[in-house]
Structure formats: structure tokens, C-alpha cells
Amino acid sequence: MKTAIKASGASHRMSAEDRREQVLKAAMAEFAIHGLDGTSTEAIAERAGISQPYIFRLWPNKKDLFLATVDACFDRFEAVLKKTAEGRSDAEIGAQLQAVGHDPSGHPHLTGPGARLHAMGHAYMRLLAKPEAPLMQMQAYAACWDDDVRRLVRDRWNRLRTLVSELSGVEGRELSEFFARGMLLNVAACMHLPATGDPARWAHEVLGFA
Amino acid sequence: MKTAIKASGASHRMSAEDRREQVLKAAMAEFAIHGLDGTSTEAIAERAGISQPYIFRLWPNKKDLFLATVDACFDRFEAVLKKTAEGRSDAEIGAQLQAVGHDPSGHPHLTGPGARLHAMGHAYMRLLAKPEAPLMQMQAYAACWDDDVRRLVRDRWNRLRTLVSELSGVEGRELSEFFARGMLLNVAACMHLPATGDPARWAHEVLGFA
DNA sequence: GATGTTATTGAGTAATCAGTCACATGAGGA
DNA sequence: TCCTCATGTGACTGATTACTCAATAACATC
């Protein structure tokens, strides 16, 4: 009964590695909404287009799948930051900078470390446009009551901080304020504070920029 | 069989209003850890020292209980802010201000709006010392995929913003940066970034203050 | 002490859960 | 052709889930 071939899954017989990636994507969508405890492996399997027992062939248990999902999340995040840092001298980015208008006090924002950091902030906002991105982050933080989750999140968070510091050349308090703004954008995105996905409006309404 | 009398509950026959408050407290502890979907009403009931079916006499369903819990959370938060604003001229607060050391650039921080805002920030840090406080917030934001939750959280968030603005006299960008720092402290608290509960160290390590 | 209200529970139900196990299916090498 | 090994599933289990319902014990009021 019911010939399956569900959802996004091109159905049959792919390499385990590809399958893992596919399942991770499905897992992220489900975990982002229902969290570690609230997500059923059945729902993940259905979304990935495979049977539920097969998940336990790819990962030993649900928590390990959650950990892998969080890990992949940070991976994707780091990749975006690196790519942004590489293309940081593009004219396009300079234009976007001025559109958002983030330099009220005497920082040298259109060049140097501040500019790089600002470009990264902008890239982060674009990343938050996917609705599961901020939710998944919240779920990761919320799941920090579990020791293993907390260890992973702390490690990746520290890696992220040093990565941003190295890529931008910014340190200390200014760096912390960057992450602080990011966290505020997170909760704003969860709340759908900007009905539109336009990052410029986010900056205006949420961060209170002029 | 099994004479019960569980946990914190002085067992028998209290007014429905008191009982609701007691259950809300238990619900916050459980929801903070396992989230809306992951928390069982059984666990809440056991913690509150009542039978599980009675929860559904006090609230029509689990989600409404979650909403009430989030609401109570914001209530408590607002109360703390108001109390802090009332006692803002205490000498003790002035001392704490300098201990944290939040005035690197020329803001007039030891008096006026900045001082009031800073006192509130400090009160917030003390509030985060209870481990369920930041987790519960994350769970509330994460549960924003649900329309009703999102509506509630958005409303209370806006109320909070205007309340802080009125109490402190701060507006716009500076106000947003206050909330941004708060959100960063939230995730730091979830991650147990400061192993100690000492707010001064939080400020130093997480916010990057000198 | 009868009457009505309010707090509270035991016993259930249908559904869903994570995880197991035996088995099927296909591709590639010999 | 047969063998091997990785990919994949159907059927199952024991536990847990939110939620219902009928019943009762404690209170108040006259």
C-alpha cells in the first residue's frame, strides 16, 4: 500500500554519505520546529523519503542525529562567513553598507576591519531569511541542558568567535557587540519581527539603526 | 496505594488560584528543559505534586499551559525591572556599576538614563543566574513557529521594550543595543559560559568589557 | 445535616514514540 | 553465475503520550 517516494528524496539507492546529507537536511527542518525532544524520527524519515528504521542505521540514536544536525548548522554558517570574507572588497558590498547606514560615530566603517565585520553581519542577516535558521539555533541553545549538546555548542561557538575575529581583525568588546547584535537578530527572526525578509528593514526596526 | 504527597506541593486542597501558581512554577522548570513539545504533562504534575488529569482542569490543553507559563515569565521579568527602576538611586547600585566598568566612551553613565539602564542590565544578569530563566526564554523563542506563541511573545516583547524605554529614558539605537547584549547574555547563560554565577565575570568574558 | 460547589483523583484510551531484528534488494567483483 | 557487502524496509515492542470521564472527598451556606 502507498507507493511512498516521498518529499525531496530521489528514492532509491544512493551512497550512505549522500543519504546522510539528505537526512541531515530533513532533520534540521524538523528539529528547528519541534526541538530535540519534540521531534519524531518518523517525521524526519518521512521528510527525507526513507524508512524510519534506516535512520538508526545511519546514526546510533536520536540525540547523535541532533548533534550532527547542530554541527552541520555551524559548518554552513562558517562557510558563509568565509565566503563573505573572501569577496569582501566587492563594490556591491560597499553599496550595501551605505544602504544600511551603520556608522553613526567615528568608526572607519567603509574600509578596514569594521567593513569586513559589517559585511559578515549582512551575510548573517541573509542567512536568517531561511525561517528554520534562527529556530534551529534556538533549539540548539535550548537543548544545552544536555551535557553533550552544551559541549558541542560551546566548542562551535568559540570556534566561530575566533574565526570571525581572524577574518575581520576585530577583537574584544567590538567583537562581542557583533555577536550581541546577531543574537538579537535571531530572536527577531524567530518572532517574524520583520514581516518582510528585507535585511535593511531588520537593521532599521530591530537594531534601531537610522 | 502509594500515598503520594510529592515534591514541593503541600498536598491537599488549596485554592485553584494558588494551585495554578504552583503548577506554573513546575511547568516553567519542565518546559525550560524539554520545551513545548518535549515536556510531558505527567512530569509537570509530578513536580507540582498533583495528579496529571488535574492539569487539564486548570488549563484546557498543554499549549495553553505553555502560553500561561511564558506570560508569567514576562510578568516576573517586568516586575524585576520596575523594582530596579524604583530603587535606582541606591548607593549599592552605583558601586556595582563601577565594578562592572561599563563606560569606556564618553557616555554619562553614573547618572541619568544610562545609569538606570545599566542598573536594569545588572538586575537582568542576576535574573539569569537561575538556570531555567535563559532556557525558558529560548524555548519561548523556539516555539514561535506556532502562531499563538509567536503572537504572545511579540506582544510581551514590545511591552518590554516600551517599558524599559519609559523606565530608563533611553530610546532608539542605544535601547536596541541594551536588548542585544541581553540576548547575548541569554545564550551565554544557556551554554554555562561562566561556570560561576558571578555577573561581573559574565560581563567580562561574554560582553568583552574591560 | 442537607444541599450545592469546588478541588482532586483512578482508571482508562487511542495514538505515538525510539529503537530492534530479521529479512529483502541491488550493484560489483570473481 | 554466484558471492559479498552495503543499502534499505516491514513488522514489531514496550513505553509513553495528551486527554477524557465518572466518581469522590473536602469545603461553604443555610
Side-chain angles (χ1 to χ4, degrees), chain B residues 1-196:
Chain B
M1 316 93 186
K2 259 190 174 180
T3 38
I5 306 186
K6 287 287 183 60
S8 62
S11 60
H12 252 1
R13 209 67 192 174
M14 61 175 63
S15 88
E17 202 173 350
D18 289 349
R19 192 62 93 181
R20 287 172 97 97
E21 227 168 306
Q22 189 183 26
V23 173
L24 278 179
K25 214 176 148 189
M28 183 167 150
E30 291 294 327
F31 279 134
I33 291 184
H34 297 99
L36 168 53
D37 282 333
T39 298
S40 74
T41 55
E42 178 72 42
I44 297 173
E46 192 175 352
R47 185 182 281 265
I50 61 168
S51 71
Q52 181 258 2
Y54 191 42
I55 286 185
F56 293 92
R57 171 89 29 139
L58 299 174
W59 287 272
N61 52 54
K62 190 166 77 156
K63 198 175 88 176
D64 280 12
L65 171 56
F66 183 80
L67 290 170
T69 306
V70 171
D71 219 34
C73 238
F74 276 97
D75 282 343
R76 202 206 309 181
F77 191 15
E78 286 188 0
V80 167
L81 287 182
K82 280 178 190 164
K83 195 184 291 182
T84 302
E86 286 170 10
R88 65 192 140 83
S89 54
D90 290 7
E92 180 216 353
I93 288 180
Q96 283 176 342
L97 277 180
Q98 281 184 313
V100 176
H102 172 248
D103 51 359
S105 49
H107 299 282
H109 256 311
L110 288 178
T111 173
R116 286 193 291 270
L117 195 64
H118 203 196
M120 286 183 203
H122 215 81
Y124 185 56
M125 286 197 223
R126 276 193 298 269
L127 221 150
L128 287 184
K130 282 193 180 266
E132 71 226 22
L135 288 174
M136 187 65 216
Q137 256 189 89
M138 291 299 161
Q139 297 289 4
Y141 299 139
C144 276
W145 60 270
D146 178 279
D147 289 346
D148 296 319
V149 175
R150 186 170 62 248
R151 191 169 16 246
L152 175 66
V153 171
R154 283 182 62 160
D155 285 355
R156 299 298 314 236
W157 179 274
N158 284 332
R159 250 177 75 173
L160 208 63
R161 198 180 155 104
T162 63
L163 178 72
V164 169
S165 183
E166 285 172 2
L167 289 179
S168 72
V170 168
E171 282 180 327
R173 181 175 171 163
E174 201 178 349
L175 185 63
S176 289
E177 279 176 352
F178 174 75
F179 278 93
R181 279 195 292 271
M183 294 305 100
L184 179 59
L185 286 173
N186 270 350
V187 327
C190 286
M191 286 191 279
H192 293 192
L193 253 197
T196 159

Side-chain angles (χ1 to χ4, degrees), chain A residues 172-184:
Chain A
R173 180 173 172 163
E174 202 177 347
L175 186 62
S176 289
E177 279 176 354
F178 174 76
F179 278 93
R181 279 195 293 271
M183 294 306 100
L184 179 58

